[in-house]
Amino acid sequence: MKARIFVTLKGGVLDPQGRAIHHALEGLGFDGVNDVRAGKLIELDLADGTSDEDIDAMCRKLLANTVIENYRIEKVA
Amino acid sequence: MKSAVIVFPGSNCDRDLAVAFEAATGAKPTMVWHRDTQLPDDIDLIGVPGGFSYGDYLRSGAMAARSPVMQAVAQAADRGVYVLGICNGFQVLTESGLLPGALLRNAGGHFVCRDVALTVENAQSAFTSRYAAGEAISYPVAHHDGNYFADDATLDRLEGEGRVALRYAESVNGSARNIAGILNDKGNVLGMMPHPERVIEAAHGATDGKRLFDGLVEGLLARA
């Protein structure tokens, strides 16, 4: 079983990386980009039967810092 | 007076901090490796040094915060042992939950490496007793992730309880309310981005950091 964990900065948290990417896109001539936010994708290869609670605990205890980040779990068949 | 300095793979200020501890205490600190599960008995002071522990993988300080030795540091802090986290050490302490908030990427996106002007906000703490409240001092900084973040309620609580020990007196990294260093609720844990251990002797070009170590050790000896 595989799971994808998407970790993103919370709404109010400044994202200098996203801002730099935004500027670079504008520099390449791409107009109309309103905002860029950069995050992380973490792919987990898990033993079959790993519980949703365990995956959630992995996110809370290590993969995301919930002071500044949100996470979303996507299970892949 | 027994002190220890924690060493993670990627720490690079551990020996500087050991020199500062030895100069203040008169005894060499024990260097404790990240895989160790125990600290020396009767430890009085623990240093969590600067550097790039675990290559800053995942988030600065995130892996170090979950290393075996940090369990022991958390238990010691809970018993009232004094803990000083500098730079990456501050990041490790917030990731461990020993201090509130988090250190984000610098607002300007750049690594900042220079001397910065600071104000001592709380001169009553064990770490700042040899400074005057409101005193202007200078320590060097060298970090990419020093932009302190916490929600407004946490920031208000820190301010209200006198737990902002040091504040930047100039624009450095976008830190909320220019916070450079904070104390835990009991006052025995200090995390700070600037490096006092880099300004403790004349050969460093400045000695503003020496009083932090001398005052801390003096206070600990008086308490014992």
Side-chain angles (χ1 to χ4, degrees):
Chain A
M1 181 176 81
K2 292 191 176 174
R4 289 175 169 170
I5 316 297
F6 296 86
V7 182
T8 50
L9 285 171
K10 286 184 176 175
V13 176
L14 184 75
D15 179 12
Q17 188 179 202
R19 201 165 55 187
I21 295 167
H22 191 180
H23 287 157
L25 287 172
E26 287 175 339
L28 289 171
F30 292 105
D31 297 328
V33 179
N34 293 323
D35 194 21
V36 178
R37 307 279 288 171
K40 288 182 199 126
L41 164 63
I42 300 168
E43 292 182 324
L44 303 176
D45 189 338
L46 299 163
D48 287 341
T50 303
S51 70
D52 290 354
E53 290 74 22
D54 275 353
I55 301 173
D56 197 67
M58 292 177 203
C59 294
R60 281 183 284 107
K61 290 185 176 178
L62 177 63
L63 303 180
N65 178 343
T66 56
V67 175
I68 49 172
E69 293 169 328
N70 293 321
Y71 61 89
R72 182 167 60 81
I73 299 164
E74 185 181 285
K75 291 210 278 186
V76 186
Chain B
M1 178 77 210
K2 280 172 120 176
S3 68
V5 174
I6 310 299
V7 185
F8 302 104
S11 293
N12 64 13
C13 301
D14 44 323
R15 284 175 291 176
D16 305 50
L17 190 53
V19 169
F21 277 5
E22 183 175 357
T25 66
K28 276 193 190 303
T30 306
M31 306 304 278
V32 182
W33 185 233
H34 69 123
R35 295 176 75 96
D36 292 346
T37 53
Q38 283 191 315
L39 293 160
D41 292 335
D42 307 322
I43 193 88
D44 302 293
L45 171 62
I46 300 166
V48 187
F52 298 87
S53 57
Y54 299 84
D56 279 349
Y57 288 176
L58 192 62
R59 297 176 302 275
S60 300
M63 313 304 286
R66 279 82 181 170
S67 64
V69 74
M70 284 309 296
Q71 304 280 337
V73 172
Q75 286 162 11
D78 198 48
R79 291 198 307 272
V81 174
Y82 283 76
V83 179
L84 172 62
I86 299 170
C87 199
N88 187 222
F90 186 14
Q91 295 160 345
V92 173
L93 294 178
T94 56
E95 279 282 346
S96 307
L98 287 173
L99 291 171
L103 281 312
L104 297 169
R105 180 56 44 105
N106 293 344
H110 293 287
F111 192 97
V112 178
C113 183
R114 60 180 168 87
D115 294 339
V116 299
L118 297 160
T119 306
V120 179
E121 289 291 325
N122 176 351
Q124 308 289 317
S125 84
F127 300 88
T128 51
S129 59
R130 286 220 187 160
Y131 299 91
E135 187 176 344
I137 59 172
S138 175
Y139 294 159
V141 297
H143 60 246
H144 210 165
D145 297 318
N147 178 355
Y148 183 73
F149 175 90
D151 60 42
D152 283 335
T154 303
L155 292 170
D156 288 344
R157 198 175 72 242
L158 290 172
E159 303 260 19
E161 295 173 356
R163 289 166 56 188
V164 177
L166 296 165
R167 211 186 294 272
Y168 300 111
E170 59 178 302
S171 174
V172 175
N173 53 26
S175 275
R177 302 188 193 179
N178 275 326
I179 286 171
I182 56 166
L183 297 154
N184 70 340
D185 54 352
K186 287 194 295 185
N188 66 314
V189 177
L190 172 67
M192 59 196 295
M193 289 311 296
H195 286 275
E197 82 282 14
R198 294 188 185 179
V199 277
I200 59 166
E201 49 190 77
H204 291 153
T207 57
D208 273 357
K210 184 170 166 28
R211 282 180 290 159
L212 184 145
F213 298 98
D214 289 349
L216 177 59
V217 169
E218 179 185 60
L220 290 180
L221 290 173
R223 210 176 51 113

